[in-house]
Amino acid sequence: MPAEDSESEDAVQTSAPPVGLVAGTEDSTPLQFCVALDEDSYLQLDDVVVTLRDVPDVGPVVTSGIVTQVRARHEGASYGSDVFLISDGVLPARTQEIAEVSTTRVEPEIYVPPRPGEGVRRATGTERAQALYFDQMDSRVPVGRGRDGDPIYVNMEFLDGTRGAHVSISGISGVATKTSFALFLLHSIFRSGALGPRAVNAKALLFSVKGEDLLFLDQPNVNLNDDLKAEYAALGLPAEPFASAGFWAPPIPDDTTGRPNVTGRTSGVEAFWWTLEEFCDKQLLPYVFADAEDERNQYTIVIHQVAARLRREAMSVGDYGAVKVDGAVLRTYPDLVDLIIDRLTDEDTRADWAGPVTGTGTVNAFVRRLRSSLRPLSSIIRADLPPGPNRAISTENQQLTVVDLHNLHERAQRFVTGVVLAAETARKEDAGPGGLLFTMIDELNKYAPREGNSPIKDVLLDIAERGRSLGIILIGAQQTASEVERRIVSNSAIRVVGRLDSAEAGRPEYGFLPQAQRARATIAKPGAMFVSQPQIPVPLAVEFPFPAWATRLSECAGPVQSTPRTPNGSAVNGSGRVSSVAPSADLLSRLPDDDDIPPF
């Protein structure tokens, strides 16, 4: 007998006592079987069980599986009213519970059905690890606890691009705790040791669109008690905030000091914007039109014509990033928009700026959309602010980079997300796949909808299809996976589902969930998720602990500290990146409502 088989048999024989026998009233197959439970035993959904069959000329075959449904009934009852007679002792009957089990692993791979009457027991220790393939994971990342209280892992090889990449998280906003799970996953990736020495060069880029919740990730949570620390310790993780973090926010509109537009945190946050010189030189105009549009629209030709013209004609003026175009000095985004519209509506210059064969209707469509961008983008595209050393969003000097977008118009959010992602993708292409960049985007359906095309959708598709080879890992969160571009969802090796709307749960995008788990997803409580990974044929139900980091100002354990950090979390000297930001004069008018709901 092979040594591996002997070890499997020993593990089964020394584990927990049987809870029942393989049922003989239901068909038993290599992929699914039923268990008749003893009167004094029980099985619940998500329990891991194991049974053993001795096969001639092969030896013991261990079949492991996960309970996906449990039924109870009176055997001997014919009518619904018989339950009263049975309860009174008039009609003889027996209560019987039957658990349905979906097979996860057969060792050795001799696919024979478990025979009726064979004992079935809960899998613990080595048995559980074998049943869930944890024993085959060279590097594994804890993602929470199972129903039995023991850790659940995902294989790092399906996160770092070795065998797969990308994570898709779906669920109802405010209930499914998608952001909280994504942050816990990042914390686990960085601190579990699964990355080994690569953790030093691993980075995370987060786009925050729901208040200032993510501006306190480097602060300990005031609710961090001994019980919570014990939960993290059971998963092999420290109960600590993110030590190396940098924060960016847009500047206050109509303010010429360049202060970030934040209220809860007034230090350690940098303001970001793009100068007119950068806008022209890097041809950022297409990202102004980052909303999904019909492919038949022809004004995209004008976009690229104008962007190329600006790059050729714009000349730098002064130290603030102003430009001179056709003899006119431009210092604000409205100045630039007015000049472009003037050139496009002038009969003498239209052909040079829009192309010789572009019709008036196409030009007018471009002009209407460009003019509508004035209010959303004026605060982040400008040349009237003194340049700062940390104005440009960068992931180089810290492990976690948070870009706060919640104070921006939706169109500006798209612009920032598209430009930053394109820049980071280009940087990773030049640097090579030596380090990993985990990019978390909430409301992915807004940036990469199923229908239409846009520059930002093209960037996200490129990351989903080619990012694995570049070391860029996408963590996308959305309320409805059915409204996200199919190629992005299908390229996600890890799929996570929280609380779902009943109509959404019936969509084909959730076909990886067994029927019972689809039904359970509609009543899942916050903190409960279903995690699917390629190595395990059945999604695993997990519960992850409450954040050890603050998710709002009131959760900070003390005064907000803004000590600069290097990517490995050690402190740096006073010449580091993080700067102190003075509170604005209208601070009180911009304070958040006390009833703001944290993301967990």
Side-chain angles (χ1 to χ4, degrees):
M1 181 187 301
E4 182 178 272
D5 294 346
S6 178
E7 292 174 1
S8 298
E9 183 179 14
D10 291 343
V12 173
Q13 292 174 347
T14 58
S15 61
V19 294
L21 304 175
V22 176
T25 56
E26 308 283 346
D27 290 340
S28 181
T29 72
L31 301 181
Q32 191 170 40
F33 59 95
C34 293
V35 182
L37 300 178
D38 296 335
E39 287 186 352
D40 298 331
S41 301
Y42 76 94
L43 284 175
Q44 64 173 328
L45 297 178
D46 307 313
D47 274 347
V48 185
V49 298
V50 63
T51 185
L52 177 69
R53 173 181 174 179
D54 192 37
V55 178
D57 300 326
V58 176
V61 175
V62 180
T63 301
S64 308
I66 294 177
V67 177
T68 54
Q69 189 59 278
V70 183
R71 304 190 308 270
R73 61 175 296 171
H74 271 142
E75 291 183 337
S78 301
Y79 304 100
S81 59
D82 286 349
V83 65
F84 299 101
L85 299 177
I86 295 170
S87 179
D88 294 337
V90 177
L91 183 67
R94 178 178 178 177
T95 300
Q96 183 61 61
E97 292 187 19
I98 299 289
E100 296 180 1
V101 179
S102 294
T103 299
T104 57
R105 185 172 180 177
V106 178
E107 194 67 41
E109 291 189 351
I110 305 297
Y111 286 93
V112 294
R115 283 187 169 178
E118 296 286 0
V120 178
R121 67 193 77 231
R122 282 188 176 88
T124 59
T126 302
E127 289 178 344
R128 181 178 182 272
Q130 291 175 344
L132 302 179
Y133 292 87
F134 296 159
D135 61 324
Q136 294 188 356
M137 298 181 183
D138 294 332
S139 57
R140 55 192 191 182
V141 180
V143 292
R145 295 175 293 106
R147 297 286 295 173
D148 55 7
D150 291 331
I152 296 292
Y153 303 94
V154 297
N155 195 337
M156 189 67 203
E157 293 183 351
F158 292 105
L159 282 172
D160 64 6
T162 303
R163 299 168 62 185
H166 312 310
V167 181
S168 175
I169 309 174
S170 304
I172 298 174
S173 178
V175 181
T177 59
K178 303 184 296 296
T179 303
S180 294
F181 180 81
L183 290 171
F184 176 78
L185 178 62
L186 288 173
H187 176 72
S188 186
I189 289 172
F190 291 149
R191 304 303 300 275
S192 65
L195 282 175
R198 294 180 299 166
V200 177
N201 294 322
K203 306 292 183 69
L205 174 63
L206 284 64
F207 295 93
S208 174
V209 296
K210 296 177 180 177
E212 298 183 7
D213 303 322
L214 303 188
L215 294 182
F216 306 97
L217 299 181
D218 60 341
Q219 307 298 314
N221 196 311
V222 70
N223 298 311
L224 186 60
N225 53 31
D226 291 340
D227 291 339
L228 185 56
K229 291 179 181 178
E231 289 188 44
Y232 278 84
L235 298 174
L237 299 172
E240 300 173 354
F242 293 88
S244 176
F247 305 92
W248 273 266
I252 299 173
D254 302 322
D255 184 276
T256 57
T257 63
R259 292 173 296 180
N261 191 9
V262 294
T263 56
R265 180 167 185 161
T266 56
S267 65
V269 183
E270 303 288 353
F272 69 85
W273 69 90
W274 286 267
T275 66
L276 293 182
E277 181 183 2
E278 292 170 334
F279 184 85
C280 297
D281 182 63
K282 297 179 180 180
Q283 299 190 74
L284 303 184
L285 182 63
Y287 296 98
V288 175
F289 302 83
D291 50 332
E293 293 289 349
D294 194 305
E295 291 180 342
R296 294 170 294 181
N297 285 326
Q298 298 298 314
Y299 69 83
T300 54
I301 300 175
V302 183
I303 295 174
H304 296 291
Q305 288 279 0
V306 173
R309 181 82 181 192
L310 289 175
R311 184 176 186 181
R312 291 194 308 268
E313 300 292 335
M315 299 176 58
S316 178
V317 176
D319 298 329
Y320 286 14
V323 294
K324 178 185 289 187
V325 180
D326 283 355
V329 176
L330 311 176
R331 301 188 184 279
T332 65
Y333 183 66
D335 292 343
L336 178 63
V337 170
D338 288 343
L339 180 134
I340 294 173
I341 293 176
D342 179 69
R343 297 301 184 269
L344 289 175
T345 54
D346 190 316
E347 294 291 342
D348 297 331
T349 57
R350 178 185 300 162
D352 293 335
W353 281 75
V357 296
T358 305
T360 304
T362 301
V363 170
N364 290 338
F366 170 86
V367 168
R368 287 195 302 271
R369 287 165 173 79
L370 180 63
R371 184 176 282 118
S372 67
S373 72
L374 279 172
R375 184 174 180 181
L377 298 179
S378 292
S379 64
I380 57 174
I381 303 173
R382 55 201 301 177
D384 58 348
L385 296 177
N390 305 310
R391 172 182 57 80
I393 299 171
S394 172
T395 60
E396 293 183 1
N397 296 323
Q398 62 283 325
Q399 188 169 64
L400 191 74
T401 301
V402 177
V403 183
D404 179 42
L405 305 176
H406 83 280
N407 277 323
L408 291 177
H409 185 275
E410 185 174 309
R411 187 166 183 176
Q413 292 179 3
R414 289 195 179 98
F415 176 86
V416 174
T417 304
V419 172
V420 173
L421 283 180
E424 286 298 317
T425 302
R427 184 186 66 81
K428 283 292 294 175
E429 276 190 297
D430 295 338
L436 294 174
L437 176 63
F438 296 90
T439 303
M440 191 191 92
I441 299 181
D442 200 1
E443 299 185 20
L444 187 60
N445 53 296
K446 181 171 70 175
Y447 301 108
R450 177 149 297 189
E451 306 297 334
N453 290 279
S454 70
I456 184 174
K457 183 176 178 179
D458 293 339
V459 172
L460 290 170
L461 273 172
D462 187 42
I463 291 175
E465 297 176 341
R466 198 168 58 96
R468 173 184 168 188
S469 62
L470 298 176
I472 304 178
I473 312 301
L474 178 64
I475 302 177
Q478 59 278 325
Q479 295 187 44
T480 51
S482 60
E483 296 181 1
V484 177
E485 168 61 42
R486 290 183 180 89
R487 285 182 287 170
I488 293 179
V489 175
S490 63
N491 274 289
S492 299
I494 308 296
R495 302 189 188 186
V496 183
V497 171
R499 177 77 169 267
L500 287 177
D501 175 81
S502 57
E504 177 68 10
R507 299 295 181 94
E509 286 73 19
Y510 305 95
F512 61 92
L513 290 175
Q515 190 60 41
Q517 288 191 351
R518 286 200 192 197
R520 288 172 58 201
T522 62
I523 59 173
K525 66 179 182 179
M529 315 294 282
F530 298 95
V531 180
S532 172
Q533 56 182 313
Q535 202 164 6
I536 305 175
V538 179
L540 303 180
V542 304
E543 293 185 1
F544 62 99
F546 193 82
W549 43 88
T551 60
R552 55 190 303 181
L553 181 60
S554 61
E555 290 183 351
C556 292
V560 176
Q561 302 294 323
S562 57
T563 304
R565 300 281 176 174
T566 60
N568 63 6
S570 60
V572 299
N573 58 33
S575 61
R577 192 204 56 78
V578 180
S579 65
S580 178
V581 181
S584 62
D586 60 340
L587 178 62
L588 294 179
S589 66
R590 297 186 290 117
L591 283 174
D593 190 346
D594 289 338
D595 294 330
D596 284 351
I597 300 175
F600 186 85

